[in-house]
Amino acid sequence: MASPPRDRRPTLADVAALTGVSTALVSIVMREAPGASPATRERVCRAADELGYRPDARARLLRSTRSRLLGVVFDVRQDFHGDLLGGLYAAGELLQYELTLSAVTPVRDEERAMASLLQDRCEAIILLGPRSPTTRLAELATRLPVVVVARPVRAAGVHVVRTTDDAGQRQAVDHLVSLGHRRITHIDGGRAPGAAQRRRGFSAAMTHHGLSEDQHIIRGGPGEDDAAHAAGELLKGPLPSAVTVFNDRCAVAVMDVLHRSRLSVPEEISVIGYDDSRVAALSSIQLTTVAQDAEKMASLAVGRVADRLDGAVVGHRELIVPPRLVIRSTTASPV
Amino acid sequence: MASPPRDRRPTLADVAALTGVSTALVSIVMREAPGASPATRERVCRAADELGYRPDARARLLRSTRSRLLGVVFDVRQDFHGDLLGGLYAAGELLQYELTLSAVTPVRDEERAMASLLQDRCEAIILLGPRSPTTRLAELATRLPVVVVARPVRAAGVHVVRTTDDAGQRQAVDHLVSLGHRRITHIDGGRAPGAAQRRRGFSAAMTHHGLSEDQHIIRGGPGEDDAAHAAGELLKGPLPSAVTVFNDRCAVAVMDVLHRSRLSVPEEISVIGYDDSRVAALSSIQLTTVAQDAEKMASLAVGRVADRLDGAVVGHRELIVPPRLVIRSTTASPV
DNA sequence: TTGAAAGCGCTAACAT
DNA sequence: ATGTTAGCGCTTTCAA
């Protein structure tokens, strides 16, 4: 007999009892698997609705061989990770994968975040900008497929999706040159990850345009304070007509110093950032910058994970997503 | 006999076999539950380590009555949600709860986010700034304990943790008045959530200081464009010595307009935002603003959930966290 | 098309 | 202190 569940949540068995069929059949219907008559499907669905039945994800996972679960480690403090998450969900949906999120916070380190995913039996792990040592990542990769996004690590079994920072910087320079700029300064990110590559890209691009004489590089850093200091240096010498800055945060800080010195952007000097972070798009800032295509990176990451889980032999360990220049209002032709 | 697992992950049984004890005993050891001799513990742990054994969270959950799992719905685009997540993990840890995250993204709506949590068998759900209609939240609350953070909803069974926006605005005004300001304008958030309350708080505070004649309210909105427009209006009339703006984003936009008009902040005009978002702390901005205590709100939310799960009868449906003024560099005494 | 039965990895009673 | 047994809610053979 059907026994309407009181305090506990309804189970497959409840639905089966109410419909008068076996649990196996209900299972088939709920999974939309082939092997049940339309009439039965109809009746089972009705009963399930009536009871407010929801399949138990965990019991399901426990039983089935594959979990189709992807673990994702992200940092709550990184805006860009938020964008990536959006892309990951979208890509996951397409390939029928569920995501299990595990956050890194000021009080929860990466190790904990990874451990919790391991317990959740995900089939693979996607790490967004991880800081763990290469050896740790390699070790993790021996247990399950690992894909690292937005950090160039070289470790056995660890696949990587990243952008080419130097190419991004080159696009920035190309844009400025096409506007007519010649004297361009780069305020770099010091030892920050990616800084060296962007600096190199800047130099290469300038040289490529025959402007190696006109280039200048000022030492900066990842934070606003480094940038403000660098901007001070910038004002001391002969002013260039344009600056490319390590990242958006720094670019905003630089612009602030420029404004305080009564220099208007872009009329008197053009500024380009890097990251296309949320500040860059603020209508009060409208910073020309280099964007990393979060959606594309996310879909590549999921695709790569899926391929590996399907046993495909994948050639390249690294997937490169070219960055893209986003032209807003901080760049213009020099007077 | 002990059979080292090849392709599949090691299970309790594998550890038991390797140690030569029963699975129940291994279970006890892994859970650090009482009922095993130190010697056995030692041996079991060694074996588990050797095999690289990790308990299967899902099987655990399936078996035990309580999952000690809290579902959290957050929006990847909200910086503040990131802060809250940090606090939730911290608070959860203290009370021995695990968090299951479910994100709202541009391609994944709140309904989906909630549905996935329901399948994960969490014991309660914490919603960060949900947009679902009150009726939907009430309905959800009939299935399990629901706590809403940062949105004032009135629905049966739905508990709320929020700040008092009017009190925040009052603090802003108090600060300005104590600096010597009298003529103060509020650029409001139009119909944005919370805007009405902040507007009311502003008026009340001004009146309280006997400045009802000196107050001015300009219609704004939640976005920068609304704010920029409002700032234009501001410049048309006689300039106040200070403005309080609906939120940080808008405040930044307002300051931008002021700067372009060669008005310096805070020398010629003081500005106060609201939210203490990441932009406010940028060293190039240093905006005086009103902060919502994310950590406190998070710990109250988890505490409330825990109380309800423990069957405690909780009196107040709403928990109020007073906001806090963060004084930075955009406020000063008028000349 | 449908049902019976076994078992995923674990914990909770109950034995010993 | 340790082992035995019985499920948690589901999927998956296999047989009817």
Side-chain angles (χ1 to χ4, degrees):
Chain A
M1 234 333 273
S3 63
R6 282 228 147 286
D7 46 334
R8 74 185 216 303
R9 310 177 44 149
T11 72
L12 256 197
D14 295 319
V15 180
L18 187 59
T19 326
V21 298
S22 72
T23 59
L25 200 45
V26 177
S27 171
I28 287 174
V29 173
M30 296 318 291
R31 279 176 293 141
E32 305 188 42
S37 72
T40 312
R41 272 183 211 285
E42 174 61 26
R43 281 171 47 229
V44 169
C45 284
R46 200 191 308 286
D49 273 0
E50 189 178 324
L51 291 176
Y53 168 77
R54 300 237 154 223
D56 185 322
R58 322 196 97 90
R60 251 184 181 168
L61 261 30
L62 181 56
R63 181 56 228 210
S64 31
T65 356
R66 295 201 49 179
S67 71
R68 299 205 73 84
L69 217 54
L70 265 32
V72 178
V73 174
F74 71 103
D75 189 322
V76 294
R77 284 159 301 189
Q78 302 270 330
D79 284 348
F80 186 54
H81 289 191
D83 299 338
L84 284 172
L85 281 184
L88 291 173
Y89 270 114
E93 180 140 17
L94 242 51
L95 297 175
Q96 311 248 57
Y97 281 97
E98 295 279 325
L99 259 44
T100 302
L101 270 35
S102 191
V104 170
T105 79
V107 297
R108 190 172 193 258
D109 64 22
E110 212 164 287
E111 203 51 49
R112 292 226 22 198
M114 297 190 303
S116 112
L117 288 184
L118 249 19
Q119 300 207 163
D120 281 347
R121 286 292 186 265
C122 26
E123 301 184 28
I125 288 190
I126 295 176
L127 302 164
L128 309 188
R131 299 164 168 280
S132 298
T134 303
T135 53
R136 180 69 186 97
L137 298 178
E139 187 188 338
L140 189 67
T142 63
R143 311 187 76 87
L144 35 52
V146 171
V147 171
V148 164
V149 178
R151 192 187 138 199
V153 289
R154 289 186 70 85
V158 177
H159 289 219
V160 172
V161 178
R162 63 175 182 88
T163 59
T164 35
D165 284 345
D166 48 354
Q169 207 50 243
R170 190 172 57 236
Q171 289 184 47
V173 170
D174 288 352
H175 170 58
L176 290 172
V177 170
S178 77
L179 283 174
H181 292 271
R182 298 185 57 85
R183 298 183 37 78
I184 307 175
T185 294
H186 177 65
I187 293 179
D188 80 0
R191 313 153 142 330
Q197 223 177 122
R198 291 178 196 176
R199 191 166 45 229
R200 234 179 297 126
F202 171 77
S203 279
M206 289 299 279
T207 303
H208 173 260
H209 284 290
L211 300 173
S212 49
E213 299 295 309
D214 298 298
Q215 71 166 290
H216 243 273
I217 295 180
I218 298 180
R219 171 95 181 188
E224 286 102 359
D225 300 326
D226 309 301
H229 182 259
E233 295 297 310
L234 182 75
L235 291 173
K236 283 183 190 161
L239 216 61
S241 67
V243 259
T244 66
V245 189
F246 172 62
N247 66 20
D248 289 348
R249 248 175 94 176
C250 292
V252 170
V254 167
M255 285 200 293
D256 191 60
V257 171
L258 295 176
H259 282 143
R260 287 187 206 274
S261 301
R262 303 291 193 217
L263 279 168
S264 52
V265 175
E267 291 78 9
E268 296 169 79
I269 185 168
S270 288
V271 177
I272 297 188
Y274 205 110
D275 279 352
D276 194 25
S277 61
R278 306 234 242 269
V279 270
L282 290 183
S283 76
S284 58
I285 294 186
Q286 286 293 310
L287 178 68
T288 293
T289 185
V290 179
Q292 320 197 36
D293 190 338
E295 215 160 309
K296 183 68 171 288
M297 294 178 81
S299 84
L300 284 178
V302 173
R304 170 53 54 98
V305 158
D307 285 348
R308 293 180 67 186
L309 289 175
D310 290 345
V313 181
V314 283
H316 317 288
R317 211 181 47 77
E318 272 197 335
L319 291 170
I320 307 293
V321 177
R324 180 174 46 84
L325 187 71
V326 177
I327 300 173
R328 294 208 181 84
S329 314
T330 58
T331 46
S333 292
V335 281
Chain B
M1 233 339 268
S3 62
R6 281 227 149 285
D7 48 332
R8 72 186 217 302
R9 311 178 43 148
T11 72
L12 256 196
D14 295 319
V15 180
L18 187 61
T19 327
V21 297
S22 72
T23 60
L25 200 45
V26 176
S27 171
I28 286 174
V29 172
M30 296 317 292
R31 280 176 292 143
E32 306 188 43
S37 72
T40 311
R41 270 181 211 285
E42 175 61 24
R43 280 173 45 228
V44 169
C45 285
R46 200 190 310 283
D49 274 359
E50 189 178 323
L51 291 176
Y53 168 77
R54 300 239 155 223
D56 184 321
R58 322 199 96 91
R60 254 185 180 170
L61 259 30
L62 182 56
R63 177 61 226 201
S64 27
T65 350
R66 294 201 51 179
S67 70
R68 300 206 71 85
L69 215 54
L70 266 32
V72 178
V73 173
F74 71 104
D75 190 321
V76 293
R77 286 160 299 189
Q78 302 269 331
D79 285 350
F80 186 54
H81 289 189
D83 299 339
L84 285 171
L85 281 184
L88 290 173
Y89 270 114
E93 180 139 20
L94 243 52
L95 298 175
Q96 311 249 56
Y97 281 97
E98 295 280 327
L99 259 44
T100 301
L101 269 35
S102 191
V104 170
T105 79
V107 298
R108 191 173 193 259
D109 65 20
E110 212 164 287
E111 204 51 48
R112 293 227 21 197
M114 297 191 303
S116 112
L117 288 183
L118 249 19
Q119 300 206 168
D120 282 347
R121 287 293 187 266
C122 24
E123 300 185 31
I125 286 190
I126 296 176
L127 301 163
L128 308 188
R131 298 165 167 279
S132 297
T134 304
T135 52
R136 178 71 187 95
L137 299 178
E139 187 188 337
L140 188 68
T142 62
R143 310 187 76 87
L144 36 51
V146 171
V147 171
V148 164
V149 178
R151 188 183 142 203
V153 290
R154 287 186 71 86
V158 177
H159 289 217
V160 172
V161 177
R162 63 175 183 89
T163 60
T164 34
D165 284 345
D166 49 353
Q169 207 51 243
R170 190 172 58 236
Q171 287 184 49
V173 170
D174 288 352
H175 169 58
L176 290 172
V177 169
S178 76
L179 283 174
H181 292 271
R182 297 184 59 84
R183 298 182 40 77
I184 307 176
T185 294
H186 176 63
I187 292 180
D188 81 359
R191 313 155 139 333
Q197 222 178 122
R198 291 180 195 173
R199 190 167 46 230
R200 234 179 297 125
F202 171 79
S203 278
M206 289 298 279
T207 304
H208 173 259
H209 285 290
L211 300 174
S212 46
E213 299 295 308
D214 298 298
Q215 70 166 292
H216 243 272
I217 294 180
I218 297 181
R219 172 92 179 191
E224 287 104 357
D225 300 324
D226 310 301
H229 182 261
E233 295 297 310
L234 182 75
L235 291 173
K236 284 182 190 163
L239 215 62
S241 66
V243 258
T244 67
V245 189
F246 172 60
N247 67 20
D248 289 349
R249 249 175 92 176
C250 292
V252 170
V254 166
M255 285 199 294
D256 191 58
V257 171
L258 295 177
H259 282 144
R260 287 187 207 274
S261 301
R262 303 292 194 217
L263 279 168
S264 53
V265 175
E267 290 78 10
E268 295 168 79
I269 184 168
S270 287
V271 176
I272 298 189
Y274 205 109
D275 278 353
D276 194 25
S277 60
R278 308 234 243 266
V279 270
L282 291 181
S283 77
S284 58
I285 293 186
Q286 286 293 309
L287 178 67
T288 293
T289 185
V290 180
Q292 318 196 38
D293 190 338
E295 212 161 313
K296 182 67 170 288
M297 293 177 81
S299 85
L300 283 178
V302 174
R304 170 53 53 97
V305 159
D307 284 350
R308 292 179 67 186
L309 290 175
D310 291 346
V313 181
V314 282
H316 317 287
R317 210 182 46 79
E318 274 197 334
L319 291 170
I320 307 293
V321 177
R324 179 173 45 85
L325 187 71
V326 177
I327 299 173
R328 294 209 180 85
S329 313
T330 58
T331 45
S333 292
V335 281

